[in-house]
Amino acid sequence: MTMRPGTERKLLDAAEELFFTRGIAATPIDAVLDRAGVSAATLYRGYASKEALVAAALTRRHDEWIRTWDDAVARATDDRGRLLAVFDALDAFRSTPTGSRWCAFLGTASEYADAPTEIAAVLHGETTTLRGRLRDRAVPLVGDRAEVLADQLLLVVSGSLAMRLRDGGGDTTTARSVAAALLG
């Protein structure tokens, strides 16, 4: 039996809001159910476990992030701008209602020393996608150095997201300047 789309949206909205602001371990599933206004039976009709719900919320968030990034890339006027558009996307995503004080993927990874399979798969997929998209946008600029540059930019992006925990505000100005320096 499947879940109605409206019910699933309410459940994922509640999961995302609570898990990615309060923490996954700190948020009991009952709090998610209360916020969503659904029963445990409804939850388990669609998700086998709390971890499956976390994975679904991360997957939805990843899809929203990719759309935001694609929009930023579409606004760029050259190859350099398309590569650096990741920083425009980070700033834009943070200002959305679902944007949080830092990265839900980094937060989730930090909560699990050994993530359950469904969560580990989503985290790995997000990292692979980010690295691949950075590499693909770097190829026109640096050719065979694209793989190395993508790894360097992944570190800059992750560091920028992590710094949001330290200064609370901040945009990606510093991260963008580091990325530009890496481009030479």
Side-chain angles (χ1 to χ4, degrees):
M1 206 176 205
T2 61
M3 195 178 297
R4 289 189 298 225
T7 302
E8 184 173 30
R9 181 187 42 74
K10 287 193 300 186
L11 192 55
L12 289 173
D13 287 349
E16 186 166 343
E17 177 186 345
L18 297 173
F19 291 152
F20 305 145
T21 58
R22 295 182 183 176
I24 298 163
T27 304
I29 200 67
D30 289 341
V32 176
L33 296 174
D34 288 345
R35 177 68 50 96
V38 302
S39 68
T42 300
L43 166 71
Y44 292 114
R45 188 176 316 133
Y47 303 100
S49 63
K50 180 179 180 179
E51 290 76 20
L53 180 61
V54 170
L58 285 170
T59 298
R60 185 179 76 161
R61 188 174 189 87
H62 181 255
D63 294 343
E64 290 171 9
W65 156 243
I66 293 297
R67 283 190 296 275
T68 302
W69 192 0
D70 286 344
D71 290 346
V73 168
R75 289 188 302 273
T77 59
D78 60 14
D79 289 334
R80 183 182 180 91
R82 284 184 279 282
L83 178 60
L84 297 177
V86 68
F87 300 105
D88 298 324
L90 288 172
D91 289 337
F93 191 78
R94 185 173 188 196
S95 69
T96 66
T98 57
S100 63
R101 64 190 184 111
W102 80 309
C103 179
F105 295 92
L106 290 175
T108 300
S110 72
E111 287 205 46
Y112 292 98
D114 186 23
T117 304
E118 59 266 63
I119 293 174
V122 173
L123 294 174
H124 176 73
E126 189 272 341
T127 302
T128 301
T129 298
L130 181 55
R131 181 180 285 120
R133 289 170 64 94
L134 290 169
R135 181 197 60 239
D136 293 348
R137 283 174 179 74
V139 167
L141 298 167
V142 299
D144 61 358
R145 281 194 44 238
E147 194 76 38
V148 171
L149 181 60
D151 282 341
Q152 292 168 336
L153 292 174
L154 182 61
L155 182 63
V156 172
V157 167
S158 297
S160 178
L161 289 165
M163 284 303 295
R164 290 181 178 178
L165 288 174
R166 290 179 179 241
D167 67 16
D171 58 19
T172 58
T173 302
T174 301
R176 180 187 295 275
S177 67
V178 171
L182 288 171
L183 285 169

